[in-house]
Amino acid sequence: MKTVFKKSVPGREGVWPEKPKSKLEDFIPTDLLRETSGMPSLSELDVVRHFTKLSMKNFGVDSNFYPLGSCTMKYNPKFTEQVAALPGFARLHPVISQLKGAGRHCQGALEVIHESEKMLSELTGMADFTMHPMAGAHGELTGVMIIAAYHKDKGNKKNKIICPDSAHGTNPASAAIAGYDVVSVESHDGIITPEALAEVLDDEVAAVMMTCPNTLGLFENHLPEIVKMIHEKDALLYYDGANMNAIMGKMRVGDAGFDVVHLNLHKTLATPHGGGGPGSGPVGVCEKLIPYLPISRVKKLEDGQYYLDYDAPKSIGYVAPFYGNFGVYLKAYAYMLRLGREGLIRATENAVLSANYMRVRLENDYEIPYNRICMHEFVASAVKQAKNGIRALDVAKALLDKGHHAPTIYFPLIVKECMMFEPTETESKETLDGFIDDMIEIAMLSDSDPDFIKNAPITLSVSRLDETKAARDMVITDDL
Amino acid sequence: MPYVPHSPEEIREMLEVIGVNSVDDLFAEIPTELRPKSFDLPKGNSEMAVLEKMEKIASRNTTNLTSFLGAGFYDHFIPTAVDALISRSEFYTAYTPYQPEASQGTLQAIFEYQTAMARLMDLPYANASVYDGGTALYEATLMAVRKTKRRKIIVSEALNPIYRVMLDSYTTNLNLELITVPHNHGRTNIKSLTAIIDKDTAAVIVQNPNFFGSVNDFTDLFTTVHEHKAVAIMSTYPVLQSVLKTPGQMGADIAVAEGQSVGQPLSFGGPYLGIMACSKALVRQMPGRMAGRTEDGEGKTGYVLTLQAREQHIRRQKATSNICSNQALCALRTLIHLCLLGDEGMRRTAGLSIERAHYAADRLTSIDGVDLFTKGPFGNEFAVTLPVNAFEVIDKLTERGIIPGFPLGRYYEGIENGLLIACTEKTTEEQIGIFAEILRGAL
């Protein structure tokens, strides 16, 4: 399909505002102006049809099952879109909160922030939360900055952060971007053992970043002992909330001894991922870390009025221009109000149920490296299929032909030909059964007709794309 | 139970297949000592009840005021078709395009967005967006540090103070030297900026139009930056970038911008998007996602995420940044908005906004004691000085239904009487007239 720029017809009219009365040159010298911006000339219908056609080349949760491990692609209810679009929220200028006494013009917004922070604190067992971080990885960076500020304030000289070898790539990247040396700890039989941790845990360690259940979908059985070891070194324990959907109401990370946590709202609390974003990555902290939270904070007065507090001398400062991705966490707030306590617990229970059901039903046809009760996701491997030259990538592409999105593949890095499945709680048993049947058929075809699998996908707008060529030629705009 | 389809009978069947007796058995691995001490959340509610509650909360925000607030975030008209197209669920319920064959819609849109941004900034490469204008600026700074292996960053005080405080937070632990060069009555102090560039300088950061609205040419400054093998970073305002001399023409190595003004509702601060474009020499330092054009086995054109070797999921602690997504849906809004308006529509939007701001400046400065603070050419935003404290005036006028602008004193000591005023194509001459009359009465 031609790009929108190639469809441009000079002189064609789009959605134009009225014509200014004056010329730009009346206000700005000609040598400070440009001639043309290179934006296309199209009719409104040209644009509508172009993007409608593009949308038809996409899989989304509304159209396809999306069992993408560690990404929690559950159904996003529709009513939250309407909430975010309410003019009282969508038209609110952020700077209004910085004028004198202007808290009175954004009481509703401040209430949403304050209540969201309180609910997330209760959900996770943390002492307090901030809604500032604009995505999960941004929450990680914020969390690590809080850890750094804490140690600096206490006069601790600590320059290392430990990440398990199964950690999401963002964990080591966030630690490094915040100025830390990253040390890896090996997992044994899928989890972190106190022995392995002891080998790398010294006085220079500022924090350990963990995901629990981890990226293999397994609960970290040694957690209580690990927490104790880390705190004895005056190091802090960071919780990567990517897998929070597995434990709502079953475990609170604050009660378990974690000091800092970020949540990915698009995962656990069902805000649409938008093809890559926007996200929202609120961060929760234990009591002693509250003074380091980003500026500003929403506080509530005794008369019920809310205000923004900018007075925080120990704060890490500003991580976002205003108060995070307000339009995103509005949806998460409405979602929490809708589900409530019981609904959130039920979501977790059914997510874990679906994952275990799928794991057991696939165990005869695919290798399951850690075949025991899993949490909301599990890892399978395509090693059985490898004898015919079929790899995890091939299975993934064959699934696309069946109308399903593929699982996460080649992550975590510690499993060969890895495929990580996360069905979530919102998919029906028929959908799970249909998917499982297709997986079994792919396993059979891998034996009987491997070339068929290797040639997948054949039903989509393009077949397998040459990624090497893309990197080598590096054509990333229409003009290159 | 909302959004969970399993019937009790199905749950029983599934438990049987798994080989456990109850759902609780699935959580047996979580030891009792780790069970929640409390889980005191409110009871769930119907969709209708939640909608009613949210409408009530929304009504506690005031959005019926005539506003001249800008400060980097502007209320431009968004064509209706933007919302209609963005509501296609194949766009907004999709994930990061890890399976390109099933995500050609998102990937081609990112490729087109990159093209639009590269053209707008007049630089050869652009990424798929980062969180916002402030994080874009900080990521640009880190690009310069990696490229030059130097530590000194020179920042103009006329750069949006919101981005300067963000830069401060992010660089605290990074052993960088941040030098801020004071503005000169709202003008970017090009002479002072030029004078302190040396062989230790990693980057020089300026903004156009600057925070006070004044329009600049940084060509000579950037020449000096390049003579010292440092990196020239320019923060811009994308709506005016459709008419102003480009970062590319001036010789910028990296252009960044807050993309809110192109297609995003103000939404109390987010979600927005950070625009980033750069020269060829810096493209491998650029953070975040990029979509590249390629072919499938039959030679058909398609798109994939590319240059992933820079990214965290491959490079882990050695990645160019920890960012692992982009503001895909916001970027799509921006692209659709730009396509609907086209070159002519964007030029008219910019032209009208500038025209209205100059009309406002004329009307307001005709009031005794109100003087233009922004010297030289300005775009759709300018500052005036009042005979009294701006905070007080804002407070008073807001009671009369008008937010007259942003108080410069919030960020700049010594100009407590300064008021920063923005207009867009939505601002009418009538509104400006009422503003001027009310201000005259209030002083």
Side-chain angles (χ1 to χ4, degrees):
Chain A
M1 193 172 143
K2 272 191 200 174
T3 66
V4 75
F5 296 95
K6 292 283 187 303
K7 292 178 178 172
S8 173
V9 180
R12 193 169 282 183
E13 289 199 22
V15 184
W16 290 356
E18 65 178 279
K19 209 168 181 159
K21 286 180 281 192
S22 9
K23 290 199 184 78
L24 282 164
E25 292 80 359
D26 298 344
F27 306 119
I28 296 172
T30 321
D31 61 347
L32 293 179
L33 295 170
R34 78 189 288 183
E35 294 281 322
T36 167
S37 64
M39 294 306 115
S41 301
L42 297 158
S43 72
E44 182 168 329
L45 179 57
D46 289 340
V47 177
V48 168
R49 204 160 277 164
H50 178 76
F51 288 100
T52 302
K53 290 226 163 107
L54 280 189
S55 76
M56 291 160 77
K57 297 181 172 200
N58 250 17
F59 280 20
V61 170
D62 284 7
S63 42
N64 307 77
F65 179 39
Y66 236 95
L68 200 56
S70 235
C71 300
T72 313
M73 290 296 282
K74 58 168 86 173
Y75 169 69
N76 308 133
K78 299 296 171 195
F79 81 101
T80 60
E81 296 303 306
Q82 197 177 323
V83 168
L86 289 170
F89 294 130
R91 290 192 191 153
L92 197 60
H93 197 295
V95 165
I96 201 169
S97 62
Q98 303 190 7
L99 308 178
K100 187 186 169 196
R104 66 180 182 266
H105 296 297
C106 52
Q107 283 297 305
L110 299 185
E111 179 182 338
V112 169
I113 297 167
H114 190 260
E115 291 301 304
S116 298
E117 290 179 350
K118 263 176 52 186
M119 283 177 86
L120 294 182
S121 298
E122 183 60 25
L123 182 70
T124 55
M126 303 308 288
D128 211 339
F129 249 85
T130 172
M131 305 306 289
H132 281 283
M134 296 178 277
H138 197 221
E140 286 180 22
L141 179 56
T142 304
V144 175
M145 284 161 71
I146 290 169
I147 288 165
Y150 165 80
H151 286 307
K152 201 173 175 185
D153 193 29
K154 280 192 77 182
N156 293 346
K157 297 235 176 318
K158 289 168 177 282
N159 55 5
K160 292 185 206 165
I161 283 187
I162 295 175
C163 299
D165 54 1
S166 62
H168 297 107
T170 45
N171 289 183
S174 298
I177 296 284
Y180 282 101
D181 297 333
V182 178
V183 181
S184 182
V185 57
E186 264 180 53
S187 41
H188 294 274
D189 204 17
I191 57 173
I192 304 301
T193 59
E195 296 74 31
L197 183 63
E199 276 179 34
V200 285
L201 184 64
D202 58 28
D203 291 329
E204 288 173 7
V205 172
V208 179
M209 298 179 86
M210 281 178 78
T211 309
C212 182
N214 64 26
T215 56
L216 296 163
L218 304 176
F219 192 77
E220 291 284 354
N221 298 80
H222 302 291
L223 195 55
E225 199 179 339
I226 288 173
V227 171
K228 210 168 143 237
M229 286 169 70
I230 290 166
H231 286 163
E232 274 168 6
K233 294 279 182 194
D234 200 10
L236 298 171
L237 189 53
Y238 184 97
Y239 182 86
D240 177 329
N243 295 341
M244 182 73 193
N245 206 44
I247 58 165
M248 287 189 291
K250 302 294 176 188
M251 177 182 118
R252 298 196 311 172
V253 292
D255 299 341
F258 285 88
D259 301 291
V260 189
V261 48
H262 88 264
L263 299 179
N264 303 69
L265 295 189
H266 68 273
K267 300 181 183 185
T268 313
L269 299 173
T271 63
H273 195 258
S280 174
V283 165
V285 293
C286 63
E287 192 77 38
K288 67 180 176 195
L289 297 181
I290 292 175
Y292 310 99
L293 287 171
I295 296 171
S296 54
R297 316 256 14 250
V298 175
K299 300 264 173 79
K300 192 176 184 179
L301 293 166
E302 273 181 22
D303 64 0
Q305 294 291 302
Y306 298 94
Y307 72 101
L308 281 172
D309 186 6
Y310 293 89
D311 182 23
K314 290 187 174 183
S315 165
I316 58 166
Y318 292 78
V319 297
F322 301 105
Y323 221 108
N325 280 344
F326 180 75
V328 177
Y329 57 77
L330 251 180
K331 298 177 195 179
Y333 179 57
Y335 178 82
M336 283 192 283
L337 292 178
R338 172 89 173 92
L339 264 65
R341 179 182 189 278
E342 297 304 323
L344 292 168
I345 294 172
R346 199 64 61 91
T348 284
E349 288 177 345
N350 284 278
V352 174
L353 175 70
S354 298
N356 278 289
Y357 176 71
M358 196 186 260
R359 172 183 59 84
V360 171
R361 283 213 50 206
L362 287 177
E363 68 188 5
N364 293 330
D365 297 275
Y366 291 89
E367 169 81 16
I368 313 279
Y370 306 95
N371 198 10
R372 52 183 201 251
I373 297 283
C374 64
M375 299 302 279
H376 69 317
E377 63 190 2
F378 67 96
V379 165
S381 162
V383 287
K384 277 191 192 173
Q385 286 67 35
K387 62 178 189 293
N388 301 314
I390 300 294
R391 305 189 58 209
L393 180 77
D394 302 306
V395 176
K397 300 304 180 195
L399 281 167
L400 302 181
D401 268 339
K402 300 279 187 188
H404 312 296
H405 197 278
T408 295
I409 51 172
Y410 303 116
F411 181 82
L413 308 172
I414 50 180
V415 173
K416 265 191 201 157
E417 294 303 321
C418 185
M419 300 182 286
M420 187 171 31
F421 297 89
E422 182 179 3
T424 83
E425 71 277 14
T426 58
E427 298 294 340
S428 69
K429 184 165 173 295
E430 295 101 279
T431 303
L432 302 183
D433 284 335
F435 179 81
I436 290 160
D437 291 346
D438 288 336
M439 280 292 291
I440 293 170
E441 194 193 327
I442 289 166
M444 284 161 62
L445 280 168
S446 297
D447 284 332
S448 62
D449 190 0
D451 283 342
F452 182 77
I453 304 294
K454 278 186 224 171
N455 286 327
I458 52 168
T459 60
L460 300 171
S461 64
V462 286
S463 59
R464 276 191 217 191
L465 290 159
D466 186 347
E467 303 202 16
T468 316
K469 178 180 161 58
R472 190 188 56 228
D473 296 352
M474 211 162 71
V475 180
I476 62 169
T477 77
D478 218 7
D479 302 322
L480 289 167
Chain B
M1 195 52 62
Y3 323 122
V4 177
H6 305 327
S7 70
E9 176 58 23
E10 286 170 328
I11 291 176
R12 203 188 50 74
E13 284 170 29
M14 290 163 84
L15 288 170
E16 205 170 294
V17 170
I18 298 167
V20 293
N21 293 323
S22 70
V23 170
D24 280 344
D25 291 351
L26 300 172
F27 295 89
E29 283 202 59
I30 304 180
T32 330
E33 62 193 289
L34 294 187
R35 294 303 174 120
K37 291 198 176 110
S38 75
F39 200 62
D40 192 16
L41 289 161
K43 273 180 78 157
N45 245 311
S46 70
E47 178 176 318
M48 188 173 82
V50 177
L51 272 174
E52 274 173 16
K53 181 182 162 89
M54 294 310 291
E55 277 164 22
K56 205 180 270 174
I57 296 175
S59 72
R60 290 207 269 278
N61 296 320
T62 322
T63 46
N64 59 351
L65 302 168
T66 302
S67 170
F68 293 85
L69 283 175
F73 308 89
Y74 304 93
D75 184 19
H76 287 287
F77 178 72
I78 302 170
T80 310
V82 172
D83 278 312
L85 288 168
I86 214 76
S87 303
R88 297 279 307 184
S89 72
E90 301 89 339
F91 283 134
Y92 82 86
T93 72
Y95 198 73
T96 303
Y98 289 140
Q99 294 291 338
E101 299 85 359
S103 310
Q104 284 301 297
T106 292
L107 284 159
Q108 182 170 335
I110 292 176
F111 180 85
E112 292 176 357
Y113 165 85
Q114 288 165 184
T115 305
M117 293 309 118
R119 287 187 178 192
L120 205 56
M121 300 304 177
D122 198 12
L123 285 163
Y125 295 93
N127 72 6
S129 73
V130 293
Y131 310 132
D132 82 304
T135 44
L137 190 82
Y138 141 74
E139 292 286 352
T141 307
L142 289 197
M143 283 169 71
V145 169
R146 281 195 299 272
K147 183 74 185 174
T148 61
K149 302 192 169 60
R150 299 174 186 174
R151 303 255 148 216
K152 187 162 144 187
I153 313 292
I154 301 171
V155 184
S156 163
E157 201 195 11
L159 173 73
N160 195 324
I162 295 170
Y163 300 152
R164 284 191 282 120
V165 292
M166 285 174 73
L167 200 55
D168 278 343
S169 318
Y170 285 122
T171 54
T172 305
N173 304 317
L174 299 184
N175 186 28
L176 299 179
E177 188 192 356
L178 246 59
I179 301 170
T180 304
V181 175
H183 69 93
N184 181 10
H185 295 281
R187 297 285 294 169
T188 307
N189 203 329
I190 295 178
K191 211 186 252 177
S192 306
L193 279 162
T194 309
I196 60 166
I197 302 167
D198 59 18
K199 64 177 180 21
D200 298 324
T201 306
V204 175
I205 306 174
V206 290
Q207 180 175 319
N208 191 48
N210 71 20
F211 186 67
F212 303 91
S214 100
V215 176
N216 307 269
D217 190 341
F218 295 125
T219 310
D220 294 343
L221 170 69
F222 290 167
T223 303
T224 310
V225 171
H226 291 148
E227 280 166 10
H228 290 85
K229 297 192 164 42
V231 174
I233 301 173
M234 185 166 147
S235 179
T236 73
Y237 168 23
V239 171
L240 288 205
Q241 207 48 73
S242 64
V243 297
L244 293 181
K245 184 171 176 177
T246 66
Q249 283 173 310
M250 293 186 202
D253 301 293
I254 309 173
V256 293
E258 171 51 68
Q260 174 275 325
S261 56
V262 191
Q264 324 300 319
L266 284 161
S267 193
F268 202 55
Y272 298 163
L273 69 154
I275 295 167
M276 291 191 89
C278 73
S279 64
K280 189 171 184 197
L282 283 159
V283 66
R284 284 175 198 279
Q285 300 297 336
M286 192 142 60
R289 298 233 169 282
M290 267 180 254
R293 179 182 269 162
T294 187
E295 287 174 356
D296 69 2
E298 290 131 46
K300 220 192 257 182
T301 297
Y303 302 87
V304 294
L305 292 178
T306 193
L307 300 184
Q308 293 188 61
R310 304 163 296 121
E311 292 189 70
Q312 47 73 28
H313 60 284
I314 294 181
R315 293 272 283 166
R316 296 173 85 82
Q317 62 265 33
K318 295 192 177 100
T320 53
S321 86
N322 70 326
I323 290 181
C324 77
S325 61
N326 68 303
Q327 300 290 94
L329 201 66
C330 300
L332 182 62
R333 289 187 73 101
T334 291
L335 173 67
I336 296 170
H337 183 102
L338 285 168
C339 290
L340 286 165
L341 273 84
D343 180 55
E344 176 65 19
M346 287 304 288
R347 295 180 77 80
R348 286 189 183 188
T349 303
L352 281 167
S353 305
I354 294 169
E355 183 176 276
R356 306 262 153 97
H358 284 78
Y359 176 75
D362 287 345
R363 288 293 301 262
L364 296 171
T365 53
S366 72
I367 302 167
D368 274 351
V370 179
D371 295 311
L372 199 59
F373 180 77
T374 306
K375 306 283 181 250
F378 62 88
N380 71 319
E381 195 161 20
F382 62 97
V384 295
T385 49
L386 305 170
V388 291
N389 185 301
F391 284 92
E392 302 301 332
V393 172
I394 292 167
D395 208 30
K396 230 190 247 177
L397 264 64
T398 304
E399 289 304 307
R400 308 276 309 270
I402 287 178
I403 309 179
F406 186 75
L408 287 175
R410 184 171 156 74
Y411 291 114
Y412 294 91
E413 222 174 291
I415 27 181
E416 282 72 20
N417 291 2
L419 182 68
L420 185 66
I421 298 159
C423 295
T424 69
E425 79 286 4
K426 287 171 83 174
T427 316
T428 64
E429 289 189 356
E430 192 191 353
Q431 288 172 332
I432 293 167
I434 295 169
F435 172 21
E437 286 321 301
I438 294 180
L439 180 64
R440 190 190 301 274
L443 292 178

